[in-house]
C-alpha cells in the first residue's frame, strides 16, 4: 500500500515548532522530508529542555519523526552548490526563518523559482504584510496578537494564553494544508508558487467565533451566553468568558467527587436544549422541565449560574468517569478533564495510534503523539527522529554525489 504523499520530496529548512509540525505531518503521510541542519549544532530544540544527558530532547524528537537529517553550511560556496542541487530535486521547500533570511542567504523567491519553476516555497512568518511584518514572533506572542489571549481567562482576571500550541503547531497545520493544496494545483498548472502561513492569521482563524461575538456585541450590546450576563455591563470588546462556551450550547466546568485533592477531578457539562428534560430528571429537578423560567434555552440564560451550581451539587457526588457514564446514557454532552498522565496511560489512544511509543538509539523508549489525521488507505507508521546529519551521505548519494565528492565537501566543511 503506497503512502498518500509518496514521491513528494520536501526540503525542510524549519526549526523549533511551527515549521517542524508542518513537515512532520507531511512525513507521516509519506513525503520524503530532508531536514537541513547546521553541522555541530542542528535544530536548537535538540538541546532545549533536555532530560537525558547527551540525547536529543523530547522537544526535538516529538516534532521530527519520519524525517531524514543532513548537515549543510549554506554560507559555504560548496554548500550553496549543494543547496542549488537540492532545490532542483525537491518539490517543496519549507522555512520558518526570520523575515528576510532567505534573501540574505542569496536565495530570494525569484532565484528559487528560476532554479526550479515547479517548486513550492512554503513559509511560516509571525505576521503577514503590514506594520509588524518584520517582527519576530513566538507562541505566546501569536496567541496575544491573534485574539486568543484577550478572550481567554477568568472574566475579572488577566488575559490568558492556552496550553494548546495554537500559535506554533496551529500555524504548522495550516501551512501543511496550503502545501498540499499548492501541490494539487501544480498538477494542473505545472508551476510552483509561494505559500504563506502567518501565525497571527492562524490564531485568528482558530478564534473566529470570538470575531463573530465581537460583531454580535456591537449590534446588541450584550452576549447572553457569557457569564457576565445579566449582572455585569459589557464593554466595547468581547470579554473573557472563563469556562463558559460562549456559544449556542451553554457549558461549564463542574467539580466532581475528590476535587478537594485532585486538581483534575472536574467534568465539562453542556446544557444542550435537546437533552434538558434528561438533565432535570438526573439532578432531581423535574419541575424545571415545564417551569417557564427554565423551560426554553432563552429563558435559562439569565439563570445559568444557578443552574450550573445545582448541577454541580450532583456531579460532586460522582467521580468524573462515573458522571460521564451516566450522562452518556442520555446523550448529554460532557467530557472529563483528563490530565496528561491519564492521557499518556489511555490504552485506547495507543490502539488508534494517537499516542505512540517510539524507540530512540540514544534516549531509549518515549511516548509521542501520532498522526491525528487517519487515512484508511494510508496508515501512518511513526519512526524515530533522525540523529544530527544521520542521512547526509545517503541523501547526497541519491542526488548523484560520489564518495570522492562527498569527501571534497567535508574537506571544505560544507557538510
Amino acid at each position: 500500500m503506497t503512502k498518500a504523499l509518496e514521491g513528494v520530496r520536501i526540503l525542510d529548512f524549519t526549526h523549533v515548532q511551527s515549521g517542524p509540525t508542518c513537515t512532520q505531518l507531511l512525513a507521516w503521510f509519506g513525503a520524503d522530508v530532508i531536514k537541513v541542519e547546521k553541522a555541530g549544532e542542528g535544530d536548537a530544540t535538540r538541546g532545549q529542555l533536555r532530560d537525558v544527558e547527551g540525547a536529543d530532547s523530547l522537544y526535538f524528537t516529538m516534532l521530527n519523526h519520519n524525517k531524514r537529517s543532513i548537515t549543510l553550511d549554506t554560507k559555504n560556496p560548496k554548500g550553496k552548490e549543494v543547496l542549488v542541487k537540492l532545490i532542483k530535486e525537491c518539490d517543496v521547500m519549507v522555512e520558518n526563518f526570520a523575515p528576510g533570511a532567505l534573501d540574505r542567504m542569496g536565495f530570494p523567491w525569484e532565484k528559487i523559482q528560476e532554479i526550479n519553476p515547479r517548486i513550492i516555497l512554503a513559509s511560516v512568518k509571525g505576521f503577514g504584510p503590514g506594520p509588524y511584518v518584520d517582527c519576530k514572533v513566538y507562541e505566546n506572542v501569536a496567541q496575544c496578537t491573534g485574539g486568543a489571549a484577550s478572550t481567554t481567562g477568568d472574566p475579572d482576571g488577566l488575559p490568558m494564553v492556552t496550553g494548546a500550541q495554537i500559535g506554533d503547531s496551529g500555524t504548522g497545520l495550516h501551512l501543511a494544508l496550503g502545501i498540499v493544496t499548492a501541490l494539487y494545483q501544480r498538477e494542473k498548472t505545472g508551476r510552483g508558487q509561494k505559500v504563506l502561513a502567518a501565525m497571527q492569521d492562524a490564531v485568528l482563524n482558530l478564534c473566529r467565533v470570538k470575531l463573530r461575538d465581537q460583531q454580535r456585541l456591537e449590534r446588541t450590546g450584550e452576549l447572553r451566553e457569557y457569564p457576565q450576563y445579566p449582572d455585569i455591563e459589557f464593554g466595547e470588546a468581547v470579554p473573557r468568558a472563563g469556562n463558559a462556551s460562549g456559544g449556542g450550547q451553554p457549558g461549564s466546568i463542574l467539580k466532581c467527587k475528590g476535587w478537594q485533592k485532585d486538581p483534575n477531578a472536574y467534568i465539562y457539562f453542556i446544557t444542550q436544549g435537546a437533552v434538558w428534560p434528561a438533565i432535570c430528571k438526573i439532578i432531581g429537578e423535574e419541575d424545571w422541565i415545564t417551569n417557564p423560567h427554565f423551560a426554553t434555552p432563552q429563558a435559562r440564560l439569565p439563570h445559568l449560574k444557578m443552574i450550573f451550581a445545582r448541577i454541580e451539587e450532583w456531579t460532586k457526588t460522582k467521580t468524573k468517569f462515573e458522571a460521564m457514564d451516566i450522562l452518556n446514557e442520555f446523550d448529554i454532552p460532557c467530557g472529563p478533564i483528563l490530565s496528561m498522565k491519564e492521557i499518556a496511560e489511555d490504552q485506547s489512544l495507543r490502539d488508534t495510534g494517537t499516542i505512540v511509543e517510539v524507540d530512540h538509539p540514544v534516549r531509549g523508549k518515549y511516548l509521542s503523539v501520532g498522526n491525528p489525521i487517519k487515512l484508511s488507505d494510508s496508515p501512518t507508521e511513526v519512526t524515530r527522529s533522525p540523529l544530527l546529519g544521520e542521512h547526509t551521505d545517503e541523501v547526497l548519494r541519491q542526488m548523484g554525489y560520489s564518495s570522492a565528492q562527498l569527501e571534497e565537501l567535508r574537506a571544505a566543511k560544507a557538510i
Side-chain angles (χ1 to χ4, degrees):
M1 187 178 293
T2 60
K3 297 289 186 179
L5 294 181
E6 190 170 308
V8 175
R9 183 171 285 167
I10 312 288
L11 184 57
D12 183 3
F13 269 99
T14 69
H15 55 285
V16 191
Q17 185 178 165
S18 59
T21 297
C22 167
T23 53
Q24 178 171 259
L25 189 62
L26 300 174
W28 280 338
F29 286 134
D32 177 18
V33 176
I34 302 168
K35 186 176 180 71
V36 182
E37 302 183 77
K38 188 175 181 179
E41 298 181 20
D43 190 316
T45 58
R46 284 186 182 270
Q48 287 182 5
L49 307 176
R50 183 174 276 159
D51 61 309
V52 176
E53 187 64 33
D56 290 330
S57 72
L58 288 169
Y59 196 8
F60 176 84
T61 59
M62 294 174 69
L63 285 162
N64 291 281
H65 293 117
N66 295 59
K67 302 178 185 180
R68 298 195 287 173
S69 169
I70 68 170
T71 54
L72 183 66
D73 183 356
T74 57
K75 297 180 181 178
N76 185 301
K78 291 286 187 182
K80 287 183 184 293
E81 293 175 10
V82 175
L83 178 53
V84 170
K85 178 73 170 173
L86 287 165
I87 291 173
K88 286 181 179 178
E89 297 288 335
C90 289
D91 298 285
V92 184
M93 181 175 177
V94 190
E95 60 91 16
N96 62 336
F97 293 129
L102 275 181
D103 293 353
R104 293 189 292 272
M105 283 172 56
F107 287 88
W109 165 239
E110 293 75 18
K111 181 174 180 178
I112 292 171
Q113 193 175 40
E114 181 182 333
I115 296 169
N116 181 356
R118 288 176 55 82
I119 199 166
I120 291 154
L121 175 60
S123 303
V124 170
K125 292 292 177 275
F127 297 95
Y132 306 118
V133 67
D134 293 327
C135 295
K136 186 180 288 186
V137 174
Y138 290 93
E139 171 66 44
N140 288 354
V141 174
Q143 290 196 30
C144 290
T145 59
S150 70
T151 56
T152 303
D154 291 331
D156 57 352
L158 293 172
M160 191 74 66
V161 296
T162 173
Q165 304 289 281
I166 61 175
D168 276 324
S169 289
T171 306
L173 294 171
H174 281 81
L175 188 65
L177 174 59
I179 290 170
V180 173
T181 303
L183 285 169
Y184 182 80
Q185 187 172 19
R186 193 182 69 177
E187 294 299 306
K188 301 175 182 179
T189 66
R191 288 178 55 80
Q193 61 183 297
K194 289 197 294 184
V195 178
L196 170 66
M199 295 174 72
Q200 181 188 39
D201 298 0
V203 172
L204 177 57
N205 185 43
L206 297 174
C207 291
R208 69 180 70 180
V209 298
K210 300 300 182 180
L211 184 59
R212 171 203 67 190
D213 289 349
Q214 179 64 36
Q215 295 170 87
R216 293 174 57 228
L217 177 62
E218 290 171 0
R219 288 190 176 92
T220 66
E222 61 186 12
L223 297 168
R224 295 190 174 190
E225 300 83 5
Y226 279 55
Q228 287 83 351
Y229 179 80
D231 304 317
I232 301 173
E233 184 178 350
F234 286 85
E236 294 182 344
V238 173
R240 291 177 276 286
N243 289 313
S245 70
Q249 308 294 339
S252 186
I253 289 180
L254 306 179
K255 297 172 182 175
C256 290
K257 189 175 182 179
W259 65 272
Q260 298 93 333
K261 295 182 179 180
D262 181 356
N264 295 300
Y266 293 84
I267 192 168
Y268 199 89
F269 193 110
I270 298 175
T271 56
Q272 186 183 30
V275 292
W276 177 246
I279 294 172
C280 296
K281 291 176 182 177
I282 288 173
I283 65 173
E285 300 287 354
E286 292 191 41
D287 62 310
W288 284 4
I289 298 173
T290 55
N291 187 316
H293 295 294
F294 304 103
T296 67
Q298 197 67 23
R300 290 192 288 273
L301 289 177
H303 310 295
L304 286 178
K305 293 185 184 68
M306 184 270 283
I307 290 170
F308 280 119
R310 176 63 186 90
I311 295 173
E312 189 174 60
E313 291 179 19
W314 178 82
T315 59
K316 285 165 70 174
T317 67
K318 313 291 180 185
T319 68
K320 60 188 178 185
F321 298 111
E322 290 171 342
M324 187 174 181
D325 287 342
I326 294 170
L327 297 172
N328 279 339
E329 289 182 18
F330 299 92
D331 293 326
I332 298 170
C334 62
I337 308 305
L338 297 180
S339 69
M340 277 298 157
K341 178 176 173 59
E342 289 169 321
I343 290 172
E345 295 173 352
D346 189 325
Q347 186 59 46
S348 67
L349 294 178
R350 300 194 188 200
D351 292 343
T352 61
T354 299
I355 291 179
V356 294
E357 185 175 75
V358 184
D359 200 0
H360 190 276
V362 181
R363 70 173 301 112
K365 292 183 178 180
Y366 65 94
L367 291 184
S368 185
V369 296
N371 193 342
I373 303 169
K374 313 297 196 288
L375 301 184
S376 62
D377 282 0
S378 184
T380 299
E381 178 187 359
V382 177
T383 60
R384 68 167 174 85
S385 60
L387 303 176
L388 178 60
E390 180 178 352
H391 304 96
T392 302
D393 285 9
E394 175 183 286
V395 170
L396 294 189
R397 286 184 190 281
Q398 290 177 346
M399 299 290 174
Y401 285 86
S402 65
S403 296
Q405 288 173 315
L406 291 175
E407 289 306 314
E408 183 181 348
L409 290 171
R410 284 197 179 84
K413 297 184 178 180
I415 59 174

